[in-house]
Amino acid sequence: MKPQYIYRWVNNHGVVRLFEKALLRRGDLFARLNGSSEGIENPYALIEQMRGDGGLRRTLPVWTAFDHDLVREILRDNRFGTGMPTVLGVPRPLRRILDRRPLPPNPVDPPSMLVIDQPEHTRMRKPIAAAFTPRAVARLRDRIETVTDELLAALPDDGPTDLVARYAAQVPIAIISEMLGFPDSDREMFLRWGDDISPLLDIGISWRTHQQAMESSERVYRYLVEHVERLRAEPGDDILSSLVAAGDLSTYELCASATLLMAAGFETTVNLIGKGIVWLLRHPGQLDRLRAEPELWPNAVEEILRIDPPVQSTARTTRTTVEIGGTRLRKGSIVVLSLAGANRDSAVFTDPARFDITRDNAKNHLSFSSGIHVCLGAGLARMEAAHALRALFETFPDLRLTDPPTRRPLFTLHGYEHLPAHTGPRVRSHLTAG
């Protein structure tokens, strides 16, 4: 049992878990949203109850925000940082041990870009940003179409399948693996590691779940160190090879960046595609409109992102005393920002619970965050989802779910674990880009 893991779990999860359990016994809305099956199956009813009259809401041990303009303002305010405050005092001898044994790189510990602020954030982000410019993403279109066609060809004709395992998960993992120079044979291994590590983005997870996540992080780290060394000797045409050649980041930082890119490049997009399938099958009139007007597909993806975001929330910590939203926050206050709540704010979106692929301001959602931490891969996720969804429904127009979808047991990364379906007769095996 490694002391750095114990410290991390107590600081980031253990104390919160105690609060959460006590609050759940009292029926607290925040605890129900972030610590019960109710918060996974139907978070939006709880969010509307918590929103109340708007502004910041106090729920021990954090503050929460659900209003679009307030969430956006905090995401863009440099008085708020991304790091979590320390709740466990550490004796100096133990501190020295912890410093000698850094945590394996993972998406929610420094130097991950998710949890560092300026100027380190710019130093880590700038070398990677070139791979996600609109021009760079556009160059991936042909590859996305090819991967999608191959996956559709592998689905059964007029037969049963799981649309998460066989399709929604396979599109993004194939693309991000190629972007990082990983062999195709390692994709399934990354999917397993991703399932283990993704709970780290939740709050109050159990010790066993945390330990499994950190052990998988260690395995990913060992893999990436060997991969980086291979790229030093034989660079390829991928992001990591470019970063290795530039020499701006240490091996540990390269592995941290690769781990985050794997998580962000896969976890959000698989949830987006899976949710898109469910929303469109449950709203056949909207799907018919897309078949008649395929130019609406990009906006349909924005509406899916708005109404049911793959990432439900994020958090910020005050770096100083802050006055915002009519509330005074002391330094070190944690604010949980509900991206899902912001996306259903009636002050911004008319009839926000209605799914409307023609909504003219759907793109005003905050599903990819805002400010300096806005998602680097947002453009790539949009393109992958639009093509994957359109190709699926054009190839299998009689596609239907055969059983209720199964949710992933996660609160922050919100999506489906299984989508049991019957494809129906295949109409075409290739979708021409349009």
Side-chain angles (χ1 to χ4, degrees):
M1 190 176 295
K2 299 183 178 181
Q4 64 267 43
Y5 291 177
I6 298 172
Y7 167 73
R8 189 197 181 284
W9 179 77
V10 171
N11 185 56
N12 292 13
H13 299 283
V15 174
V16 175
R17 190 172 173 84
L18 289 175
F19 271 106
E20 199 171 70
K21 285 187 174 182
L23 293 170
L24 267 176
R25 288 193 292 269
R26 291 164 41 190
D28 180 84
L29 289 173
F30 180 80
R32 287 163 61 190
L33 179 63
N34 292 277
S36 73
S37 59
E38 184 181 10
I40 293 174
E41 293 296 332
N42 186 23
Y44 302 105
L46 293 170
I47 285 170
E48 290 312 310
Q49 291 182 65
M50 291 191 70
R51 188 193 304 276
D53 296 329
L56 286 168
R57 178 188 176 102
R58 180 62 164 161
T59 303
L60 291 175
V62 300
W63 294 84
T64 52
F66 300 90
D67 299 343
H68 182 280
D69 290 350
L70 180 57
V71 170
R72 184 175 180 272
E73 182 181 359
I74 292 173
L75 288 171
R76 291 170 168 261
D77 193 330
N78 61 15
R79 296 176 299 172
F80 290 82
T82 55
M84 293 289 288
T86 298
V87 296
L88 177 68
V90 182
R92 187 172 297 175
L94 179 56
R95 179 77 263 170
R96 286 197 293 268
I97 294 174
L98 296 176
D99 290 341
R100 285 200 306 270
R101 299 179 180 178
L103 293 167
N106 65 80
V108 293
D109 286 300
S112 166
M113 288 182 287
L114 280 183
V115 291
I116 56 176
D117 299 311
Q118 303 286 40
E120 281 297 290
H121 178 266
T122 297
R123 186 180 71 83
M124 292 289 292
R125 182 179 174 115
K126 188 175 180 180
I128 301 169
F132 292 95
T133 63
R135 180 177 294 180
V137 169
R139 287 197 294 267
L140 292 168
R141 181 180 298 276
D142 289 346
R143 186 57 188 147
I144 291 170
E145 292 173 0
T146 299
V147 167
T148 302
D149 287 345
E150 291 170 352
L151 292 170
L152 289 171
L155 290 178
D157 187 355
D158 203 11
T161 191
D162 183 338
L163 288 173
V164 172
R166 296 287 301 279
Y167 190 68
Q170 297 299 329
V171 175
I173 198 65
I175 299 303
I176 198 62
S177 292
E178 288 191 18
M179 293 180 73
L180 294 173
F182 301 144
D184 293 349
S185 58
D186 290 342
R187 290 180 193 172
E188 292 302 319
M189 178 175 63
F190 287 129
L191 290 175
R192 292 194 300 272
W193 285 344
D195 285 342
D196 289 345
I197 295 171
S198 54
L200 290 177
L201 278 86
D202 280 347
I203 58 174
I205 64 175
S206 70
W207 165 250
R208 177 175 294 182
T209 299
H210 180 268
Q211 187 176 27
Q212 184 174 348
M214 300 310 293
E215 288 172 353
S216 288
S217 295
E218 286 186 356
R219 289 191 286 272
V220 173
Y221 183 37
R222 288 195 293 269
Y223 176 97
L224 289 174
V225 168
E226 293 180 4
H227 183 63
V228 167
E229 290 308 311
R230 283 195 298 271
L231 295 181
R232 291 191 199 280
E234 299 178 15
D237 184 20
D238 57 77
I239 299 174
L240 266 186
S241 291
S242 299
L243 294 175
V244 169
D248 296 326
L249 304 178
S250 68
T251 297
Y252 187 82
E253 290 170 334
L254 286 167
C255 294
S257 295
T259 303
L260 177 59
L261 288 172
M262 276 195 299
F266 165 69
E267 293 290 348
T268 55
T269 311
V270 63
N271 290 343
L272 171 56
I273 295 172
K275 288 185 174 197
I277 293 169
V278 173
W279 277 96
L280 290 168
L281 287 176
R282 288 177 176 172
H283 295 80
Q286 301 280 291
L287 186 53
D288 288 343
R289 182 79 180 267
L290 285 166
R291 289 185 173 119
E293 302 175 62
E295 65 274 13
L296 289 175
W297 272 109
N299 202 69
V301 170
E302 301 299 341
E303 178 67 351
I304 295 162
L305 284 162
R306 182 200 69 83
I307 201 166
D308 200 4
V311 180
Q312 292 274 294
S313 63
T314 187
R316 295 291 185 267
T317 302
T318 53
R319 304 168 73 177
T320 184
T321 300
V322 174
E323 289 272 359
I324 195 163
T327 302
R328 182 180 176 87
L329 302 177
R330 291 183 296 181
K331 180 180 178 180
S333 298
I334 302 171
V335 184
V336 175
L337 306 174
S338 175
L339 306 179
N343 289 353
R344 293 194 178 204
D345 187 345
S346 60
V348 177
F349 304 102
T350 303
D351 195 4
R354 178 171 56 89
F355 180 54
D356 179 6
I357 62 167
T358 66
R359 188 181 295 273
D360 59 4
N361 69 339
K363 202 170 184 177
N364 290 346
H365 63 76
L366 296 175
S367 298
F368 291 122
S369 191
S370 188
I372 66 169
H373 289 279
V374 67
C375 178
L376 265 176
L380 177 61
R382 287 179 166 110
M383 187 165 67
E384 287 178 344
H387 186 75
L389 290 169
R390 180 183 172 186
L392 177 67
F393 285 110
E394 291 198 5
T395 304
F396 298 107
D398 295 325
L399 181 73
R400 60 183 174 84
L401 296 178
T402 55
D403 289 294
T406 304
R407 292 280 189 183
R408 302 178 74 188
L410 302 173
F411 299 93
T412 302
L413 293 173
H414 192 250
Y416 293 104
E417 191 166 41
H418 299 290
L419 289 179
H422 192 279
T423 57
R426 185 188 306 272
V427 170
R428 58 197 298 190
S429 60
H430 179 76
L431 175 68
T432 302

